Each structure stands twice: as C-alpha cells, then as structure tokens.
Amino acid sequence: QYETADVQNMVKMMLQTGAGSALHGVDEHFIVSASGLLVGVILHALYRQRSGVMRPLLDEKLKPAPLLLQEDTEFDVFVRKAVNVNRSGGVEPSKIERRTFRKGTPRPKLADDGAVHFKSEDEAVKVYDTRTVPNPQPVRTRDGEIDERFATVTVIDPDSVRTEWVNFDYETVTFFAPAPAASMSEIDRLLSDPERNIGELWDEMLTFDHYDKPHPDGVGKNRRTQATVAKAARAIKDTPDDERGSVVTTARKFYSLFRDPIVARNTEFSDFKIEDLMFSQSPVTLYIIAQAADKDRLHPLVRIMLDMMVRKLSAKQRFENGRAVAPYNHRLLFMIDEFPNLGKMDVIQESLSFAGGFGMKFYLICQDITQLKSRDKGYGPDEMISSNCHIQNFYPPNKLETAEHISKLCGETTVLTPNVTVSRQVHGLGKGDSVSTSIKEEKRWLKSPDEIMRMKGARKDANGNIIEAGEMLIYATGHPMALGRQILYWEVPVFKAAASLPPAAPEIFDRVPWWDAEGKQRSTLMRKAEAKTLRAALLTNPKTVAPPIGKRASWFPPQETREDEGEAA
C-alpha cells in the first residue's frame, strides 16, 4: 500500500545534493529525472524478487544452451540482394522466402521483420538435449509453503552434446527461476549490467508481469505490469539520447558504494527488522559502527538507515479517548556521534519536534555549534536542531563562537558594586569632609565566554588515558544552567558491564510472531531455546503464558484468539 511512498522517501535521501555528496553541483533537472527513474527501477527489483524471472540455461562453460526445434519447421528467411553473374550482371533484389529448418537444430531468432537473418560466417554451437526435473532446492513463499512456480527446473543432458554449425542468431533455453534479492547491489547491477544493453531493462520494465494475475492498478495488454514501473520506463525511453545518458549517469552515481563486495554482501539481506527496535518483546540495541578510514565513504549508507528508521517508526499514531496512545513496547534512543559529519538530514531536523510522541529521543553529538550552523555542510544559521533539543550538554569549547553561544544560554545576573564618594573642603583640616556611599547595579554574564573556555577539562596521564573527569554545563529548557562533572563510564558498574557485552551471533536467535491491538502481525527476537519453549507452551497450555507486551496484544491472530488466553491476560 505504501511501497511507492517508501521508495520515494528513500530515493530522496539517496539523491541529496549537499556538500560532500557525490551529486553536489549536479543540475536539479537531472536530479528530479533520476529520482523518478530510480523509484521505478527499485520497485521493479522488488516485484522481480516476488515474481521470478526467465533465466537462460547455461552449459558447462556458462554459455546459454540453444533451444532446439522439436520437428522440421518452416521460417521466413531474408535473402539479401545479389549480382546475377550468369546472365547480364544484373542485381537480384532482396526478398523473403520460406525455408525448412530440420528437427534438432537450434531454433532461429526472428528479427523485427519476422524473418531469419543470416550472418556472414558460421558458428560452432554445442547442442544438448534438455529435460525437466524436480527442483532440488524448493522455493518457499512468505507463509512457508512451497512455491509451485519453482517446483521444477530445466537441466541439460551432458552426454547428449553435439556440435551444430549455424550462421544465424538462435533462441536459448530459458526457465522460470527466482530473481535475485532486491538489494542495493542488485539495483546497481540492473543499471550497469555488463551482459546486456540498458535499453533491455526499459523494455523489461514496460512488459514485465509484476502481478500474478490481472490487477486493477496494472497497465499493459494483460494488466499485470506495475504502473509506476511502466511510467518510469516510458519516461526514460522518451527522453532524448543525450539527456537520457545524463539522467542514467546521475542515477548510477549513488550506487558506486555498493560495488564494494563487502558492502554488497552485507546489504543483500537483513537479520533484523526496523520494528524490532521498538516492538520486540525484549529491548534491542543496534550498533552502527564505521572504521575511521571508511566513515566518509559509508556515510550515505548510514544516512539511509537512519532515514528509514525515523520514517518507519513514526508512520502512525493511535488515539484513545482523545489522547495519544503509545503504539510501541520500548522507547528508542538514537545516539549519533559526529552527527554533523553525516551531512544535512532534513528528516531528523523535522522529526525532533514530534519524535517524542512516537517514543523516540535523539542524543546528537557534535564538536562545535558552528558545524550545525554552516551554510555549506550544515543546516545554516537558521538551523532548528539546537532549538528542538530539550537538554544540551556542553564541554569546554575551543572556539569563541561556541563559547559565546553557551554564555548566552547561561544568562545574565545583577552584580551590586558599592561606590564611595569623598568630598573635601579647600584648605580644610578634614572636619568638614563628607563621605557618600551608593550601590551600583551592573549586569554581567553568569559565565563569560572566556570563563567558559577556561573550564576545567578532563585530566589525562602520560599515555593519554583520562584519569579525572572534567567540568560540563547542562542546560535543560525552562531551568537555569547547571555546572556538573563528566561521568566516566568505566567507573560506573552498570555502564562498564554494558560496554563489556560481546555482540550476539544472529544464528542463535529465532522469531516468534505476535499480533498487536490493531491485528497487525509483528515478531519478536528471542534466543532459540526460549522461542522453542514458548511455542511449545502456546500449543499445549496457553493459559500459563503471559501475554505479549503491549495493550491488547496477543500471541494468536485475531480470528484465533482463544478464551483461555484471555483469562491468562
């Protein structure tokens, strides 16, 4: 239902043009055109994965096996014009004539005029007999059932090999097979496939059966082609050649990152769901770590992940009795170190004002306030990041602009200064002198910029290890600035224990489904032993099982909710 909107949001983040981006300085027209193209290509890849594709059958040398004729067959053949040397040297015009191709030879591929066109030289082709056999690796649907479309596969008989000499293009044996998983590297392959012309991709998008049967929203002769995909293909085909090349080049630029085999392999599948971060039965922590040498290169990938998390987890809010109801099981904290280095992320700037209503909080770490206010790499002087942060922590700064910003947040105070005035009479002996005292009120910063820059920092030993925490200032909206001291996590037992936890191996976890108050199926990550025990209890004695976390949540689908499970709740 929301697939097009989700893909459009993702493409918008991919094609950001801020400083440091691969598309910085690219003409806006090509950005808009590339955006529409990528939406279509990504949707096409998603539907290809669900629907399967026709693949060529390859021989032992990975060459497509020719499709053989099952009986003698007549085809129209194009005969080029030739000089008649036996008569007067006249020229015989080109013509179409019928010819018979014998059984067992490669089936000729017809040209646009419906005829066979011969080539100047013969080609030695290995020919095999083929047969259909059960698929040794059954493909299953999302429900776990065997997909009948992939129940059989076509294979060649290697002992039947023989050689045919042909001088025409021939059709190859194809079979219905699962398509590659829809991943970033697969999108890059579709746009830069070295084995076919990119024009074949546009034709495939225009005619592909994205739906298993005629669909109300489908287009084309059989109403099975997804409309957004077909429109994107038609738009790029109708674009002039020179402009089309620039649009495709713009679309390809983002995907250069996914040509790294390590990045491609690790983005082909996911062993967690975004919903796990807030809807799992147990709290989940996700660490996204990039090595210092790779952090700039991997920023686009991190940006997409953060963008998808924010949009996915703030998609819908429920209300009961006129008040918002928490739709999540656990609140989520985004702790983002070196936040400005990710570039301008409008989704975070915009969501800071309402994310709290969806249970999300942000802890954004930056080196300097000027990073946020930068016109080129940040959010500009009118940035809304700092104004939407309820709590701001400051450590001793090195830049005057930041110190002035902190000083203004500290506020002003009134200092009473006594002023004594003495007046003396001329040539007097002091008896007529008068003394007056007044109190002068002066305003000054609670902490001046230079005082803030001279705050005590962390003390380190000769090896650079922190041995004593430094000072910090804590500003909470509606409260005076507070002077505090940093916390060294390794001195706090709970933090030290958390930092010592090793990462959990994905293979030790399993998923158990459950249903929320709206009847939507969700799942929770559990260790396999716990999941096995839970499933057994739900089958044998559900009354002993506590209900899932969440209001009116159930371990059973709405139509299967059991009375005894309700009693257990």
Side-chain angles (χ1 to χ4, degrees), residues 423-448:
S423 61
R424 298 179 181 277
Q425 294 183 1
V426 179
H427 306 302
L429 298 177
K431 294 182 179 180
D433 293 352
S434 62
V435 179
S436 62
T437 303
S438 61
I439 303 298
K440 183 179 180 181
E441 295 183 356
E442 292 182 337
K443 288 185 177 181
R444 64 149 288 170
W445 298 111
L446 278 173
K447 268 191 174 298
S448 64

Side-chain angles (χ1 to χ4, degrees), residues 546-561:
I549 299 174
K551 193 174 182 180
R552 297 199 303 274
S554 171
W555 292 113
F556 302 98
Q559 65 273 18
E560 297 180 11
T561 301

Side-chain angles (χ1 to χ4, degrees), residues 138-148 521:
V139 178
R140 298 185 180 275
T141 64
R142 294 181 178 180
D143 299 328
E145 302 293 333
I146 294 180
D147 194 329
E148 294 299 331
Q521 181 179 351

Side-chain angles (χ1 to χ4, degrees), residues 470-482:
E471 294 180 329
M472 63 182 295
L473 290 170
I474 307 169
Y475 173 74
T477 303
H479 299 275
M481 184 78 79

Side-chain angles (χ1 to χ4, degrees), residues 172-202:
T172 58
V173 179
T174 57
F175 62 97
F176 200 54
S183 63
M184 290 296 187
S185 57
E186 173 63 8
I187 304 300
D188 177 54
R189 190 194 66 79
L190 289 174
L191 290 171
S192 308
D193 193 341
E195 297 181 357
R196 70 171 180 176
N197 187 287
I198 197 169
E200 297 181 32
L201 173 60
W202 317 142

Side-chain angles (χ1 to χ4, degrees), residues 48-99:
R48 285 173 89 249
Q49 180 182 358
R50 302 174 192 170
S51 304
V53 294
M54 297 301 293
R55 286 183 176 277
L57 184 66
L58 305 179
D59 61 21
E60 73 277 4
K61 293 186 177 180
L62 302 182
K63 185 176 180 180
L67 178 65
L68 305 183
L69 292 171
Q70 299 301 311
E71 58 185 15
D72 292 350
T73 309
E74 288 188 347
F75 291 96
D76 287 334
V77 174
F78 176 80
V79 181
R80 298 182 183 277
K81 62 183 179 181
V83 177
N84 189 339
V85 295
N86 293 332
R87 298 180 183 176
S88 58
V91 177
E92 293 186 359
S94 300
K95 59 182 178 180
I96 299 290
E97 63 180 30
R98 299 287 288 180
R99 292 189 185 178

Side-chain angles (χ1 to χ4, degrees), residues 196-349:
R196 70 171 180 176
N197 187 287
I198 197 169
E200 297 181 32
L201 173 60
W202 317 142
D203 295 335
E204 179 180 300
M205 291 168 62
L206 274 172
T207 59
F208 196 85
D209 288 344
H210 298 107
Y211 304 112
D212 294 337
K213 56 185 177 180
H215 194 278
D217 298 329
V219 297
K221 294 181 179 179
N222 55 11
R223 313 297 295 180
R224 294 186 181 186
T225 304
Q226 212 272 353
T228 303
V229 177
K231 291 175 182 177
R234 175 52 60 192
I236 194 67
K237 282 177 70 73
D238 291 345
T239 302
D241 292 344
D242 294 343
E243 182 181 344
R244 185 190 304 126
S246 298
V247 172
V248 174
T249 300
T250 302
R252 286 171 174 167
K253 281 187 176 180
F254 174 81
Y255 289 94
S256 60
L257 169 63
F258 300 94
R259 294 175 186 176
D260 177 354
I262 297 177
V263 176
R265 185 167 58 251
N266 284 279
T267 53
E268 285 181 351
F269 68 94
S270 176
D271 51 20
F272 79 98
K273 298 180 179 180
I274 290 178
E275 289 186 344
D276 292 339
L277 299 174
M278 299 186 74
F279 291 93
S280 183
Q281 295 299 300
S282 300
V284 173
T285 302
L286 174 66
Y287 294 91
I288 303 176
I289 302 174
Q291 300 298 327
D294 297 320
K295 65 178 185 178
D296 291 338
R297 185 171 63 94
L298 297 178
H299 277 164
L301 181 58
V302 177
R303 288 167 55 86
I304 285 184
M305 294 184 67
L306 292 176
D307 182 87
M308 293 176 65
M309 289 174 186
V310 174
R311 295 186 188 277
K312 182 71 174 178
L313 297 175
S314 61
K316 187 176 181 181
Q317 197 169 34
R318 289 195 297 113
F319 292 86
E320 290 185 6
N321 300 322
R323 301 193 65 178
V325 178
Y328 49 85
N329 292 339
H330 307 281
R331 299 177 72 186
L332 177 61
L333 173 65
F334 288 89
M335 181 168 283
I336 309 175
D337 195 8
E338 300 292 348
F339 170 69
N341 289 343
L342 293 174
K344 187 176 182 181
M345 295 191 66
D346 290 331
V347 65
I348 291 184
Q349 179 171 236

